[in-house]
């Protein structure tokens, strides 16, 4: 018999039958506005935990445990798990699925959490709520204690994270990911691996943050955000829009041998840094 046919109680936590049973018994309906798409595929769960570096003694932060399925997989590998959940309706189900573990559950909004207080060497492993993926990734990047983030994101977000300058998907997210470290596409995940199935394919992405590099200056982050703000516009136009003088921009572009009509998304990060120096944004 397939996992689906097994009696709910003995089936693994992640089987579709068990996830449905947990939802029904606890009177829960997945909430779309909270990005609740629960994983029901054991292979995917194992692949995320494995790629994320869940191992004995490793501090792991998960965002959004949901029913606790991925949490349990990470915990079973010996990691020290802290998990942040906003939806208080999940209290009873998490007491049931994680009650026999030492997983620390913090109730609250992941956007209000103080990532600066995490233990050094923390690895984030999460099936992220998609509506705040970009915001959360930028919080992880800025937290020196976090060394990697292995996350399930919409495939299109994964493509943007990994994109290089001059390619279609390149933008601010690609630029900051490259500034802080490196990006690896682990695998795609079909819609059927979730309950309910999301509208689009997902990808597991691992970001490694190079904490030996000096953190990018906040002024430089603002500068590249503005430089890449309007796709398909020239770099010159985007910089004009944040108040830089046209002549100064032209002189800087000429000095750096960059075409005056270059589009922002075609400029290499090193050249953007040189532009920022020439325009007096950073030293
Ligand atoms: N980890 C579970 C899994 O893989 O089956 C659930 C993942 S589901 C895509 C996203 C989870 O994040 C849900 O449990 C949802 O309630 C939670 N969540 C949504 N917004 C949140 C927020 N702002 N802060 C913390 N958790 C949030």
């Amino acid at each position: 018999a397939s996992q689906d046919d097994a009696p709910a109680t003995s089936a693994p936590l992640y089987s579709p039958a068990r996830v449905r049973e947990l939802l029904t018994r606890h009177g829960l309906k997945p909430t779309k506005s909270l990005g609740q798409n629960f994983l029901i595929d054991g292979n995917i769960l194992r692949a995320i935990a494995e790629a994320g570096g869940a191992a004995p003694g490793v501090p792991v932060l998960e965002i959004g445990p949901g029913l606790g399925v991925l949490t349990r997989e990470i915990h079973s590998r010996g990691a020290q798990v802290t998990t942040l959940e906003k939806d208080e309706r999940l209290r009873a189900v998490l007491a049931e699925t994680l009650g026999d573990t030492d997983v620390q559950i913090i109730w609250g909004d992941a956007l209000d959490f103080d990532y600066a207080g995490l233990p050094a060497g923390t690895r984030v492993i999460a099936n992220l709520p998609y509506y705040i993926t970009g915001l959360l990734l930028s919080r992880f990047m800025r937290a020196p204690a976090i060394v990697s983030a292995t996350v399930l994101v919409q495939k299109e977000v994964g493509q943007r994270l990994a994109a290089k300058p001059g390619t279609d998907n390149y933008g601010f997210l690609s630029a900051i990911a490259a500034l802080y470290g490196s990006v690896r596409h682990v695998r795609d995940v079909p819609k059927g691996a979730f309950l309910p199935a999301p509208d689009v394919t997902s990808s597991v992405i691992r970001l490694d943050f190079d904490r030996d590099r000096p953190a990018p200056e906040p002024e430089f982050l603002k500068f590249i955000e503005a430089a890449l703000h309007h796709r398909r516009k020239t770099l010159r136009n985007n910089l004009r829009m944040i108040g830089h003088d046209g002549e100064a921009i032209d002189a800087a572009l000429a000095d750096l041998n960059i075409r005056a009509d270059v589009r922002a998304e075609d400029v290499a990060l090193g050249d953007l840094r040189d532009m920022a120096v020439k325009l007096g944004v950073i030293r």
Side-chain angles (χ1 to χ4, degrees):
S2 77
Q3 269 169 9
D4 255 0
D5 304 322
T9 43
S10 66
L13 196 51
Y14 50 75
S15 78
R18 186 87 162 92
V19 166
R20 274 198 202 94
E21 187 269 332
L22 278 172
L23 288 170
T24 311
R25 188 154 45 77
H26 288 276
L28 296 165
K29 272 212 177 100
T31 305
K32 205 171 176 175
S33 62
L34 283 171
Q36 290 182 343
N37 299 99
F38 301 117
L39 277 166
I40 51 172
D41 183 320
N43 287 327
I44 305 290
L45 287 164
R46 285 184 286 274
I48 302 172
E50 176 81 36
V58 173
V60 169
L61 175 72
E62 186 198 25
I63 309 293
L67 308 178
V69 170
L70 178 59
T71 326
R72 262 207 102 89
E73 179 61 35
I74 300 166
H75 176 265
S76 74
R77 292 166 187 251
Q80 281 167 10
V81 190
T82 302
T83 189
L84 303 180
E85 178 57 62
K86 178 174 175 174
D87 186 356
E88 303 250 359
R89 298 174 311 159
L90 299 172
R91 273 184 188 274
V93 70
L94 285 178
E96 178 180 328
T97 58
L98 300 178
D100 61 340
T101 71
D102 62 358
V103 169
Q104 190 193 359
I105 306 176
I106 299 176
W107 294 94
D109 193 322
L111 294 178
D112 297 334
F113 183 72
D114 179 16
Y115 295 91
L118 288 167
T122 293
R123 298 191 181 278
V124 171
I125 304 180
N127 172 13
L128 290 179
Y130 288 172
Y131 71 106
I132 45 172
T133 300
L135 278 173
L136 289 174
L137 291 178
S138 96
R139 302 282 167 93
F140 304 157
M141 290 176 196
R142 286 166 215 238
I146 300 179
V147 292
S148 69
T150 303
V151 287
L152 251 172
V153 297
Q154 288 176 314
K155 182 171 180 168
E156 176 242 321
V157 175
Q159 287 169 333
R160 283 202 272 137
L161 280 165
K164 302 284 180 240
T167 63
D168 276 353
N169 296 310
Y170 187 74
F172 180 58
L173 205 53
S174 342
I176 53 168
L179 273 182
Y180 279 98
S182 58
V183 179
R184 180 163 72 90
H185 172 266
V186 177
R187 58 168 298 161
D188 285 343
V189 179
K191 301 172 193 178
F194 304 87
L195 193 114
D199 298 331
V200 293
T201 303
S202 304
S203 300
V204 180
I205 301 290
R206 172 161 166 160
L207 297 112
D208 279 276
F209 308 126
D210 183 353
R211 298 303 179 192
D212 293 332
R213 268 188 223 171
E217 305 86 334
E219 298 80 11
F220 184 49
L221 291 175
K222 272 200 202 127
F223 179 81
I224 56 171
E225 184 163 21
L228 293 166
H229 192 67
H230 297 280
R231 286 185 57 82
R232 316 219 180 282
K233 279 207 176 178
T234 63
L235 176 60
R236 187 181 194 283
N237 261 339
N238 279 343
L239 295 181
R240 288 283 291 134
M241 286 183 64
I242 52 163
H244 288 284
D245 174 63
E247 280 180 25
I249 299 170
D250 292 336
L253 288 168
D255 272 3
L256 295 169
N257 276 323
I258 302 173
R259 286 173 46 161
D261 63 349
V262 70
R263 289 187 319 169
E265 63 266 30
D266 292 336
V267 183
L269 265 179
D271 286 340
L272 274 185
R273 175 167 281 279
D274 291 344
M275 283 295 291
V277 172
K278 288 209 178 281
L279 293 172
V281 174
I282 51 171
R283 294 205 288 155

